[in-house]
Amino acid sequence: MNLREVLRKTMNVQDVVYDFMSSYFRNLLPGRMGEDTIPFMLLADESSGDYFEAIGYFYRPGTRGVTVFETHFFRIEDVHEKEGTITISLLIPLDVDGEITTSVCEVYKLKKTKCCLTLCLNKFCGIQFVDPRLVTRNLPVVEPKW
């Protein structure tokens, strides 16, 4: 199975899960809504084992500033069969404190964005899936002892 087929099947599973959860279990499982993302990393260079990295940005609510982030984590949005390209959205990697992290080892949660890229599939040689629970995982609440 080639990378295009894997990504197309991943996109289909995301769509089915979202449709199923929103159509049938909306009232029964409100805490489970949003589980429509199967995060992954793309292997860019087989010889070095490097993963593709993208840069995105977003506006923080209530501020005029733009926050820039780097990520290795993505969500498939579309597979363009004829062009041999894919559209992916960037996922923000957050550490246990809710801060953006650049270290793959420190990722505690992944946050969806509207930042998208269209990429040629022939630039990639593999895919590494990541636990989907990272997208719906809540950050820990640390309350003062006193």
Side-chain angles (χ1 to χ4, degrees), residues 84-123:
T85 61
I86 57 170
T87 300
I88 57 174
S89 61
L90 283 60
L91 300 174
I92 302 172
L94 302 174
D95 64 15
V96 72
D97 297 319
E99 300 296 324
I100 296 171
T101 183
T102 56
S103 171
V104 174
C105 299
E106 293 179 0
V107 174
Y108 185 83
K109 178 177 176 56
L110 295 171
K111 183 176 177 183
K112 294 194 310 188
T113 70
K114 294 182 181 180
C115 296
C116 291
L117 297 174
T118 299
L119 306 168
C120 290
L121 269 175
N122 62 4
K123 303 292 182 190

Side-chain angles (χ1 to χ4, degrees), residues 1-124:
M1 185 177 311
N2 65 29
L3 188 57
R4 180 183 300 130
E5 291 174 24
V6 171
L7 288 168
R8 186 173 16 84
K9 287 183 179 187
T10 303
M11 185 181 70
N12 291 342
V13 169
Q14 287 178 163
D15 293 343
V16 166
V17 168
Y18 179 76
D19 290 343
F20 184 77
M21 293 298 284
S22 61
S23 298
Y24 301 107
F25 295 108
R26 183 177 334 141
N27 297 329
L28 296 174
L29 302 170
R32 305 300 290 186
M33 294 302 291
E35 290 187 7
D36 63 341
T37 299
I38 301 172
F40 61 88
M41 299 185 293
L42 290 169
L43 188 60
D45 185 1
E46 192 170 13
S47 62
S48 67
D50 290 339
Y51 287 98
F52 176 69
E53 181 178 56
I55 297 175
Y57 69 92
F58 63 94
Y59 295 98
R60 288 199 185 257
T63 67
R64 291 184 174 184
V66 173
T67 300
V68 177
F69 65 95
E70 298 174 12
T71 187
H72 294 280
F73 302 96
F74 308 99
R75 177 189 194 276
I76 187 71
E77 298 294 338
D78 203 357
V79 177
H80 312 283
E81 297 284 340
K82 291 181 183 177
E83 296 85 4
T85 61
I86 57 170
T87 300
I88 57 174
S89 61
L90 283 60
L91 300 174
I92 302 172
L94 302 174
D95 64 15
V96 72
D97 297 319
E99 300 296 324
I100 296 171
T101 183
T102 56
S103 171
V104 174
C105 299
E106 293 179 0
V107 174
Y108 185 83
K109 178 177 176 56
L110 295 171
K111 183 176 177 183
K112 294 194 310 188
T113 70
K114 294 182 181 180
C115 296
C116 291
L117 297 174
T118 299
L119 306 168
C120 290
L121 269 175
N122 62 4
K123 303 292 182 190
F124 305 101

